[in-house]
Structure formats: C-alpha cells, structure tokens
Amino acid sequence: MTMASGGKDTVRFLIIDSSPGEAESFLNVFRESGYSTRASLINSLDDLTTAISGHQHWDLLLMTDPPPPLSFSQIFDYINQKDVDLPGIILTSPDGERDSLSLMKMGARAVIPLGHDEYLLAVAQKELEDLKIRRHHRRMSVALHESEKQRRLLLDDQVDAVVYVNNGRIQYVNSAFLKLLGLPEEESLDGKLFKDLIITKDQQDVEEFLIGIEESGQALAVIQCPLIAKNGSEVPTRAVISPTSFNGEFTLSLQIKFNEQEAEQTGADKTLEKSAPDSETGLFDRKQFEQELDVAIQRAVSGKGKATLCCLHIETLKAIHEQHGKEVSQKLLKALAKKVTSHLGGVHPVASMGGGNFSALFREGEEREVKLLADSLLTAVTGEDIVIDQNLLSVKLSIGAVILSDTTNDAKTLMVQSRQATVQAQKEGGNQLCFYQKRKVSSVHSVEKQLAGMVNQALKHKKFRLSYQPVISLAGSPAEYYEVSFVMTDAQGREHEAAAFRPKLEKVSLWNKLDRWQLIEASKALMAKRKEGSDTRMLMHVGGISATDDTFLPWMKVALKAAGIPAGAVAIELSEQNLARYSEVIPDFFRSLKDMGCQTVVSEFGCSLNPLEGIAHLDVDLVKLDPSFTEDLNDGDNAEELQKMIEALSQSGRKVIVPGIETAGEMTPVWQFGADFIQGSYMQPPSERMDFDFGSDG
C-alpha cells in the first residue's frame, strides 16, 4: 500500500472470483472512495503461488466462491504456510449456506454478504489500517533492534558510568559502571534491584525518589546516591536522572558521577537549572516543555500513567492589542502567565506558544479530574478583570484538551489536536473546556447526500470557477492542449477541486448539470484563446451519468456550434471506472463523439483488473494514466510498472498522457519511457487562464 499523488492510497488486490465483471465492481467500490487500485485475478493455486512468490507486496485478498478445484482451505493453508501478511475478506451470497464461523477459523478476517458495499469498504479500511500499522511495527522493530545495538556499543565505550532502571530493577549497566564498583566486565547485573547497590542508610530515600520520578514523569533530576563497591567500601556518587526507553519500555537513565568532581557537578547543576521554569513567569521554554511532553508520551505508551495536553487560548488578546497597543498586550500576557503557572502550582508545566496561546501539561489523565482542574483555572484567570497601565482589561479563555493514552505516539499531532479542541471551545462560546474528539466518519450515502447539497448550493449561488492546466506534448505536436476542470467554494469559503468529489457524484443527474455548465463556460474561454491564432484544444472530463443521457451529445453539438468551436478542438474524457460501470453504453457514446469529430479520452487509467482489455474494443485516441503511476519513480518496481504500461498502450496505437509530474526527476524517465504528453504542477499548476507559453516548453 503506497501513497499516490494527490494523497490517495494505492491498494493492491488479489481477487479470487469466477466473474471478472464482479471483480471490477469490487474495485469500483474502492475507487469511488478515493483509492487508486491495482489488481490481479487468481484462478488457480499456481496463480496464487506466482503472485505471492513475486516481489510485489499485496494488501488485500478479496474472495467469492473459488473456481474448482481451488478451495478456501487451500488458499488459507498456503498463505499461512508462506507466512504472508495478507488479510483475506470473503464475500458470500446472502442466501448462501456458508458457515461464517468456519470461514473465520480458516483464516478469513471477515465474511461479508455480496452487495453490502459500505460494509465491505468499512471492513477493508480497518484491515488496511491494521496492515499499515503491522508493517510499520515490523520496520520500526528492525530499526529499534539496530538502534539498541548501536547504543549499547556507544554506552560501553562511554567514560561515565550509566545504569538503566525500570521499576527499581536494573535493565542495563555499561562497563564504566562495573569498573566503578570494582566488578568484572563479564558480570551481569540485569534484573537485580538497584537499591541493593546503595549504602543501607540511603536505600529507602533513593528508591522512593526513583519511584516518584517514574510516577511524576519529571524530565530531569539529581540525587545523592552513594554506592557500595565490591570490596564493601563506599563510593561517593550522585545520579543525574533522565527518562529514556530501552527494549521498547519506559526506563530511567542514571548517569553516575563522583561527588568530588566539581567541574562535572557544576555542569550537572547547570543542566538541572536549565530544566527549571522561568523565575519571573513560571513558564518553561518550548524546548523544555517539549521534553516534558515527550516523557509524558513515553509514560502513557508504557502504561506508567496518563497525562493531558491542553491548549489555552486568550480570546481577548487580539482586541486588546488593537485597542491598547503591543506594550499593554505583552504585559497582559506576562500577567496571565503568572496567574496560570501560580494556579497550577508548578506541578503542571506551561509554555508560551505565541499568538496568545499557552500549552499546559496536566499530570491528570481522567476527564473528571482534568475538567475540575480546568474549571478552577478558568475561574482563577477570568474571574476578575486585570489592570494594566490603568486599563481595566477583561480576559476570555478557551481550553482545548487531549488525553495522552497508550496509542499516543506523536507530539506534533497532539499539539494540533489540542488546538482543534480549543477552536471548538471558542465556537461553543469560550470560557470553557472542550476535549478533542475524532471526527465521526459518515456513511457513504450520507457523504453523497452532503456533497450533493453542497454542490446544489454552489450552483445556486454561482460558487464554481473553472481552472485550466496545460497538457504538454513530448513529440512536438502543434496543438496546445489544456485540461479543463472546476473548483467549488463551499459556504465556509473553503475550496474543493472537482476531482475530490466527482467520484461520489458523477453517477447522479446533478452531475449532468455541472457537465453542461462546464462545457458552456469553458467554450467561451476556448473561443477567445483560439481567436489569438493558436490551435488550442481542451480536454473536458464528463461524468458517467452524461454518457447515459441520450440528450447530452445532441445538446453538446448545438452548444459547440453556437460557440463557434470545431468539434476537433474538444476531447471528452471518461474515467476508467465508468467503462465498467456503463459498459453497455460507452462504446456507442465514444462512436458518437468520433462521428461528431471530437477526440475521446480515457482517464485515471490502469487501476482496473485488465486495463488494456477494457479499452480494446473502444475507439480511444488518448489514454491518461492514473496519477498513482508517477508515485515514487525512484522505486525500480514503480518505474517498471509505468514503463510497461506506456509501452503497451503505445503498441495499441493510443497516445499516452502521464499526469502528476511534480519534479524534473519525474519528467526524465517518463520521456524516456515514450509518453506522448505530460501534465503536472512542475510545468504549471491549474490556473484560471489559458496562459501557458507552449513555445518555451523544453
């Protein structure tokens, strides 16, 4: 599974189904949801062996009834025998007699009734996400193992004595520590209680201190820690304690230093001092705060205790700055920082993040405790106005919170989530706490309904605009091609490119209205451009619904004639998935276009089960590949896949357009592979005008 251009995942399927048509319908379910696909149809155990034995990684196995003599038990036995991580989903007839439990015991991850597309999509998305996590875990395990080996080598060569302690027991000591105590290098202290190496009178104090550090998640600390050497003598040392991870577990790293080494002691004191908050405001600097957050994440992941990251936003700061100036607003910020840190008592680190935002790390991990603490903080900060330079200023504060859990792994994501929760608190009136909540994923039908409503509103209020992107010939064609598309602006002012929502809506009659609007508006721009004397042509994508509308082509012929545009200047695109969806009408639709004099184009090509067979019987002039084909061309397998597709299409007499060219490095192999046209932001991103200088194109 790879990330394709434009942010879409490319999912690779093995499909076991006696009907290629049914297999194509499975793929369309995923393509309509934004995935690019690759697929191979399996008809025998030999086919399965060939597919799995190759260098290609497959993401999902979709199965209906296997063709005889292949059976489900054979398939799962073979996959288990080869130890391949390939989730299998079985689709069964609703009235079939298959026992779902027995199929699950064989190895199926899910058994889904045929025709339940939303169910299939939901299960597949979970399986793909789990697969991605497993693959990431395996990669990280290998990297961690190598990192641990390198760290042991570095620690063994380190001059300072180092001990790793978890739950009071030693996990690792380096050779310098063994030497410090007069122990032989081959002696192992792993698993022994660290307190047993400390002089008797200090054992309890040190043990309690270490437990306190583990529980509090303090980022750095120092304690006197006299040790006992092998000969029974006391070794006057202290430990500089910092959190780390070892063998995937939250661990305390103790750097052991002699007390009489004044230079080192001064350095350690300075280090400890750096970890303290600012004496005037009580704020940590960002680096210190991030260190505290990293420790809290390690503790949460290791099950050592939860914490909560909060974003505190001063809503009234901007207005105060505009009304009273920078000096007053800066003094207010400092006063509020003191109030916040004073109320939190130094237990919960706070840092300024700029823009009237503070981040606070609450040492609480339960919603009830977090809410109590946040409510008391809101009362303390906003309960009364603040006087700054004789100005009485009111303060409004919104707090967004995200609780750290054992699934947390990224500090940046937590920061974003806490900020999103703060925005929600503002929307709900401010002066309150909101917890971050993941967006609820709508069902497919619900999404389509919402999108249709947005498009209707945009049409009603004329919130569409056209965009044009050049399609550049690598063979010196005199024609200047532009692909026309459109952008919709929603009620919140956000812009959405047509490609983002077309797969969901091009099956409904509403899209036919958009196709007609697009043709009329683009024809005006095309006519104006052609009057300049250039042979400018446009590629226009139409929805599958227009191919089924008997009135569309007659209307289009009249519209082009009225605009004064020859049909030869227009190339009509249909996506590959529509070829399967409307297989009965597409051949006639393309023939009619050719009779009119238009060119025909199949776009988003190469994601079906048998792409070349799908267009073999169609009169197609241009084939535009799916953008996923230009993803990571530095990978030899991806480059080979693209080359084979271009060569096969060229041999069939079709001109090939390769989209998604974002760098010069991507353009070079595409040219070498024999593509006829290229398109992408490297040459020019979509523009509101047809203004590309084809004469300067190299």
Side-chain angles (χ1 to χ4, degrees):
M1 186 167 29
T2 57
M3 184 64 77
S5 302
K8 296 194 300 181
D9 277 337
T10 300
V11 183
R12 298 181 182 272
F13 294 91
L14 290 181
I15 300 179
I16 299 178
D17 190 298
S18 55
S19 165
E22 190 70 49
E24 287 289 359
S25 69
F26 295 155
L27 295 180
N28 269 352
V29 170
F30 291 89
R31 294 174 70 181
E32 287 174 15
S33 295
Y35 292 97
S36 293
T37 59
R38 303 287 189 275
S40 180
L41 191 63
I42 303 297
N43 292 309
S44 66
L45 192 58
D46 286 342
D47 288 347
L48 184 62
T49 302
T50 302
I52 288 179
S53 301
H55 50 71
Q56 182 62 66
H57 284 290
W58 300 96
D59 302 314
L60 273 182
L61 174 64
L62 297 181
M63 296 174 279
T64 56
D65 284 322
L70 203 56
S71 67
F72 287 125
S73 59
Q74 270 186 306
I75 294 165
F76 287 119
D77 285 347
Y78 181 79
I79 290 172
N80 291 333
Q81 180 188 347
K82 294 297 181 182
D83 196 24
V84 178
D85 190 358
L86 180 62
I89 297 175
I90 296 176
L91 298 109
T92 61
S93 173
D95 55 356
E97 298 179 359
R98 287 285 183 185
D99 178 10
S100 297
L101 181 59
S102 65
L103 293 174
M104 297 282 283
K105 286 181 176 180
M106 283 183 200
R109 302 303 289 259
V111 180
I112 299 172
L114 278 166
H116 289 61
D117 292 347
E118 285 191 51
Y119 187 8
L120 169 61
L121 191 61
V123 170
Q125 285 172 335
K126 287 182 181 296
E127 289 298 331
L128 290 170
E129 188 59 38
D130 289 346
L131 179 66
K132 189 183 290 185
I133 291 169
R134 291 196 299 274
R135 287 175 176 172
H136 179 73
H137 176 74
R138 287 193 287 268
R139 288 193 297 269
M140 291 303 101
S141 293
V142 172
L144 178 63
H145 178 67
E146 187 59 33
S147 175
E148 294 287 5
K149 283 199 314 186
Q150 296 297 326
R151 180 159 62 164
R152 283 174 184 267
L153 290 172
L154 291 171
L155 287 170
D156 284 340
D157 288 339
Q158 189 167 324
V159 175
D160 288 329
V162 176
V163 188
Y164 283 176
V165 178
N166 186 353
N167 290 323
R169 294 190 178 275
I170 295 172
Q171 304 299 309
Y172 166 83
V173 298
N174 68 350
S175 54
F177 183 81
L178 294 171
K179 186 177 180 181
L180 179 69
L181 299 186
L183 297 170
E185 282 198 22
E186 62 272 12
E187 183 157 344
S188 173
L189 299 179
D190 294 358
K192 294 185 178 179
L193 290 170
F194 177 65
K195 72 173 185 178
D196 291 345
L197 303 179
I198 303 168
I199 63 171
T200 305
K201 70 182 183 68
D202 287 341
Q203 281 185 358
Q204 186 174 349
D205 288 344
V206 173
E207 183 180 35
E208 289 177 356
F209 187 79
L210 292 180
I211 290 172
I213 294 296
E214 283 198 30
E215 289 179 350
S216 69
Q218 186 174 338
L220 190 68
V222 177
I223 187 173
Q224 296 298 320
C225 182
L227 301 175
I228 305 171
K230 184 181 181 182
N231 61 12
S233 63
E234 180 180 330
V235 184
T237 57
R238 58 197 175 81
V240 179
I241 307 164
S242 59
T244 186
S245 63
F246 189 71
N247 290 333
E249 295 287 335
F250 176 82
T251 306
L252 295 181
S253 169
L254 280 61
Q255 191 174 14
I256 308 298
K257 295 177 177 289
F258 279 111
N259 280 336
E260 60 265 23
Q261 291 177 322
E262 292 298 330
E264 290 189 21
Q265 183 169 355
T266 304
D269 289 343
K270 285 181 179 177
T271 304
L272 191 59
E273 189 178 304
K274 284 179 185 175
S275 296
D278 179 77
S279 58
E280 184 180 0
T281 62
L283 294 174
F284 282 71
D285 67 31
R286 284 197 192 188
K287 189 174 181 181
Q288 295 165 358
F289 184 84
E290 287 167 1
Q291 188 178 20
E292 293 281 348
L293 179 57
D294 286 341
V295 173
I297 291 172
Q298 287 182 36
R299 285 171 45 76
V301 171
S302 300
K304 297 282 186 181
K306 293 181 180 179
T308 302
L309 177 64
C310 294
C311 175
L312 285 58
H313 177 67
I314 306 165
E315 294 186 44
T316 46
L317 184 67
K318 185 178 179 181
I320 290 169
H321 179 83
E322 291 173 352
Q323 184 177 353
H324 300 286
K326 182 178 180 180
E327 187 176 349
V328 171
S329 65
Q330 290 299 312
K331 287 182 179 179
L332 174 65
L333 262 179
K334 189 173 286 189
L336 290 175
K338 289 179 183 177
K339 271 198 170 189
V340 170
T341 56
S342 173
H343 183 79
L344 295 178
V347 178
H348 314 282
V350 184
S352 174
M353 295 295 162
N357 295 306
F358 296 102
S359 281
L361 185 61
F362 289 2
R363 304 295 188 188
E364 306 289 349
E366 300 297 331
E367 280 197 18
R368 183 173 174 277
E369 282 75 13
V370 172
K371 191 172 188 319
L372 287 171
L373 184 56
D375 286 346
S376 67
L377 179 61
L378 283 166
T379 301
V381 174
T382 66
E384 57 184 26
D385 294 343
I386 297 177
V387 178
I388 303 289
D389 293 347
Q390 299 181 345
N391 297 297
L392 192 63
L393 307 174
S394 62
V395 177
K396 194 173 184 181
L397 186 69
S398 290
I399 303 177
V402 55
I403 295 175
L404 280 60
S405 69
D406 57 3
T407 61
T408 302
N409 60 10
D410 181 18
K412 286 184 179 179
T413 300
L414 289 172
M415 289 285 193
V416 171
Q417 290 172 345
S418 65
R419 180 69 185 123
Q420 288 174 349
T422 307
V423 171
Q424 185 59 37
Q426 289 176 257
K427 288 180 179 178
E428 294 181 13
N431 271 356
Q432 62 180 292
L433 165 74
C434 273
F435 287 95
Y436 170 76
Q437 292 183 329
K438 286 185 178 180
R439 286 185 178 180
K440 192 174 181 180
V441 179
S442 302
S443 69
V444 174
H445 292 309
S446 174
V447 169
E448 289 179 2
K449 190 174 180 181
Q450 291 172 14
L451 284 173
M454 287 170 58
V455 170
N456 259 323
Q457 286 298 309
L459 274 172
K460 183 178 178 181
H461 298 289
K462 298 181 179 179
K463 293 294 184 180
F464 284 98
R465 63 174 175 82
L466 293 178
S467 66
Y468 307 92
Q469 188 172 35
V471 178
I472 300 161
S473 172
L474 295 178
S477 169
E480 299 178 357
Y481 284 94
Y482 286 91
E483 182 177 47
V484 60
S485 187
F486 54 86
V487 177
M488 176 183 72
T489 304
D490 65 19
Q492 284 74 44
R494 297 169 300 192
E495 292 191 337
H496 307 269
E497 293 184 4
F501 54 91
R502 187 187 68 236
K504 296 284 186 192
L505 295 183
E506 65 175 342
K507 298 175 290 184
V508 300
S509 58
L510 173 65
W511 201 266
N512 192 273
K513 291 182 183 179
L514 281 172
D515 284 341
R516 295 180 185 229
W517 170 84
Q518 181 182 211
L519 182 70
I520 290 172
E521 297 302 318
S523 295
K524 297 174 186 176
L526 179 61
M527 192 62 230
K529 185 68 177 177
R530 287 177 66 85
K531 283 181 178 178
E532 297 175 5
S534 60
D535 182 13
T536 306
R537 306 181 185 188
M538 72 175 180
L539 285 77
M540 193 185 89
H541 198 294
V542 300
I545 191 69
S546 293
T548 67
D549 180 3
D550 293 338
T551 68
F552 181 74
L553 289 183
W555 170 87
M556 176 180 156
K557 187 174 183 178
V558 172
L560 291 177
K561 187 175 181 180
I565 295 174
V570 178
I572 297 297
E573 293 181 46
L574 274 174
S575 66
E576 183 186 52
Q577 66 193 81
N578 280 316
L579 303 188
R581 185 185 290 138
Y582 304 111
S583 58
E584 294 182 1
V585 300
I586 295 299
D588 288 340
F589 182 74
F590 274 3
R591 272 194 294 271
S592 298
L593 282 169
K594 296 292 289 184
D595 290 343
M596 283 174 57
C598 295
Q599 287 185 293
T600 53
V601 188
V602 174
S603 61
E604 298 169 17
F605 184 80
C607 294
S608 64
L609 196 59
N610 296 298
L612 293 168
E613 288 182 19
I615 61 171
H617 62 294
L618 298 175
D619 194 350
V620 177
D621 298 302
L622 297 160
V623 173
K624 180 180 171 183
L625 299 184
D626 189 80
S628 59
F629 278 90
T630 51
E631 176 67 21
D632 193 13
L633 289 180
N634 291 324
D635 184 309
D637 291 341
N638 293 351
E640 183 182 357
E641 184 180 48
L642 174 62
Q643 182 177 7
K644 286 181 177 178
M645 183 60 76
I646 292 174
E647 289 174 352
L649 286 167
S650 297
Q651 288 169 9
S652 72
R654 272 84 177 201
K655 301 291 185 184
V656 182
I657 303 171
V658 179
I661 303 297
E662 307 298 328
T663 66
E666 291 171 343
M667 187 166 68
T668 302
V670 169
W671 175 75
Q672 291 172 341
F673 295 160
D676 300 283
F677 296 88
I678 55 173
Q679 179 184 2
S681 295
Y682 176 68
M683 286 71 70
Q684 187 184 73
S687 168
E688 292 186 30
R689 292 177 297 278
M690 298 182 186
D691 57 4
F692 183 74
D693 185 359
F694 284 87
S696 67
D697 172 52

